[in-house]
Amino acid sequence: MSDQPDTGGRVSTTDGANVIELNQYRQSTDAVPVMFHRRELDAILRIYGRMVGEGEWKDYAIDQLRDRAVFSVFKRSGEMPLYRIEKNPKLAAKQGAFSVTNTHGMILKRGHDLQQVLKVFDKVLKLID
């Protein structure tokens, strides 16, 4: 408790200007959206290019939200995404920041290393008799 009245963090000066406390200013500003770094985007686009070459994927979208970044992959641009590659830094200490989900929302793979998570798209070679 202090003897000064609660002004909500604003202090008026003699010339009528308002001074705002730094911690309240930081809380009021919008958070910077989460983005993919260049190396992460390079790895994702390498997989995307391969799948476009095979004719499986046709379009993509990148969303940069406050809490996560999402790379969505489409067969056709008017449909729901086939896969979503997500980066969620809040989960980095737990299950890992990166995950791949399918159309139904099922998490196919999750981890700390994007290269390992993207291995879900690697084709397994089969022996043909």
Side-chain angles (χ1 to χ4, degrees), residues 5-54:
D6 185 21
T7 59
R10 294 181 183 270
V11 178
S12 296
T13 59
T14 56
D15 60 353
N18 288 330
V19 178
I20 301 172
E21 291 181 16
L22 183 60
N23 62 355
Q24 288 192 344
Y25 172 76
R26 287 182 178 157
Q27 291 174 356
S28 69
T29 59
D30 291 333
V32 177
V34 176
M35 297 182 207
F36 288 108
H37 296 293
R38 181 181 178 96
R39 298 212 189 275
E40 296 165 350
L41 203 54
D42 284 345
I44 294 170
L45 289 174
R46 194 173 306 116
I47 298 288
Y48 176 77
R50 188 185 79 208
M51 297 301 245
V52 167
E54 294 175 5

Side-chain angles (χ1 to χ4, degrees), residues 34-38 40 44 63 65-71 84-92 96-100 111 114:
V34 176
M35 297 182 207
F36 288 108
H37 296 293
R38 181 181 178 96
E40 296 165 350
I44 294 170
D63 296 317
L65 307 171
R66 283 188 187 144
D67 60 339
R68 63 191 170 163
V70 182
F71 186 95
R84 287 189 332 257
I85 302 166
E86 296 186 14
K87 176 183 179 182
N88 190 343
K90 289 182 181 177
L91 298 176
F98 300 101
S99 65
V100 175
L114 181 62

Side-chain angles (χ1 to χ4, degrees), residues 56-72:
E56 294 188 30
W57 296 350
K58 302 285 186 202
D59 200 7
Y60 72 92
I62 299 175
D63 296 317
Q64 298 170 341
L65 307 171
R66 283 188 187 144
D67 60 339
R68 63 191 170 163
V70 182
F71 186 95
S72 302

